[in-house]
Amino acid sequence: MRIIGIDPGTIITGIGIIECKNGKITVINFDTINSKSTEHLSDRLKKIYDICCKKIDEFEPDEFAIETAFYSKNVQSTLKLGQARGVAIISAANAKLKITEYSPREVKKSVTGNGASSKEVVRQIVKRILNIRENPQFIDTTDALAVALCHYYSFGNIFKEFKTKRNGVSNKNGWKKFVEENPDKILNR
């Protein structure tokens, strides 16, 4: 299964595409859509739409996940973010992809275990999970990959990896066994 994750924004939109096969998650592509605040909003929205369409055509994801809008004190910013989300969602709808939305808190909690994690913590954990060596130029890129990971985890696929079954009964040591077998996926503080 391929999942495209979107971290929407009118200045920078993050795009991350992962592939999940046989319990292994790999990065297919990650990028940002960069605009200048001096560009007219309609031009920025068209750019988001066009590049989302291009990525969907090129990488043929099976699922589309996007972060929901957060409510800011600045109403204009919230409205513009909603418009950026809208054009990205339309690109997925036109490609007949299943669209799922996650709150920023849900994304952070699914990836880090803490819904109040900073963007830097999310970046470090996403890089570790996906074996990304370099720091992407914009943190929006790892945020988009986190959205894609959140979508994957929401299907319960991660629990299939974590649990072991004996005679149809879940082994209570499933998490312990997973940690022992996957030390590279554990963040030590």
Side-chain angles (χ1 to χ4, degrees), residues 114-178:
N114 180 352
S117 294
S118 71
K119 287 182 169 280
E120 276 303 321
V121 169
V122 171
R123 172 188 270 188
Q124 292 308 315
I125 293 177
V126 166
K127 283 176 55 183
R128 183 173 287 169
I129 291 169
L130 298 174
N131 295 316
I132 299 171
R133 303 222 185 285
E134 74 277 1
N135 264 339
Q137 183 178 3
F138 298 101
I139 206 155
D140 307 80
T141 305
T142 48
D143 286 351
L145 289 167
V147 172
L149 285 168
C150 176
H151 186 65
Y152 172 68
Y153 295 155
S154 74
F155 280 106
N157 292 324
I158 194 70
F159 299 110
K160 291 176 191 170
E161 294 173 23
F162 292 171
K163 287 183 179 179
T164 57
K165 296 262 187 182
R166 286 193 193 139
N167 301 325
V169 179
S170 292
N171 178 359
K172 292 182 182 178
N173 295 323
W175 281 105
K176 182 179 179 186
K177 184 174 175 80
F178 176 81

Side-chain angles (χ1 to χ4, degrees), residues 84-119:
R85 290 182 67 254
V87 296
I89 289 169
I90 291 297
S91 71
N94 286 342
K96 299 191 180 352
L97 292 176
K98 180 181 175 223
I99 300 161
T100 308
E101 301 177 55
Y102 299 96
S103 72
R105 191 167 196 76
E106 286 176 292
V107 172
K108 290 174 184 178
K109 186 167 183 163
S110 75
V111 173
T112 70
N114 180 352
S117 294
S118 71
K119 287 182 169 280

Side-chain angles (χ1 to χ4, degrees), residues 31-102:
D31 203 353
T32 55
I33 303 168
N34 302 316
S35 298
K36 294 184 174 114
S37 60
T38 56
E39 289 179 68
H40 195 275
L41 180 61
S42 61
D43 294 332
R44 289 185 269 159
L45 295 173
K46 182 177 182 335
K47 186 187 291 186
I48 293 167
Y49 174 79
D50 289 345
I51 293 175
C52 284
C53 287
K54 181 181 174 215
K55 295 287 184 180
I56 289 168
D57 287 344
E58 183 178 353
F59 296 103
E60 300 178 339
D62 301 297
E63 304 269 336
F64 178 95
I66 189 166
E67 197 170 75
T68 61
F70 61 90
Y71 302 101
S72 168
K73 290 181 182 178
N74 184 334
V75 175
Q76 286 299 315
S77 294
T78 303
L79 289 171
K80 288 176 183 175
L81 177 60
Q83 291 172 322
R85 290 182 67 254
V87 296
I89 289 169
I90 291 297
S91 71
N94 286 342
K96 299 191 180 352
L97 292 176
K98 180 181 175 223
I99 300 161
T100 308
E101 301 177 55
Y102 299 96

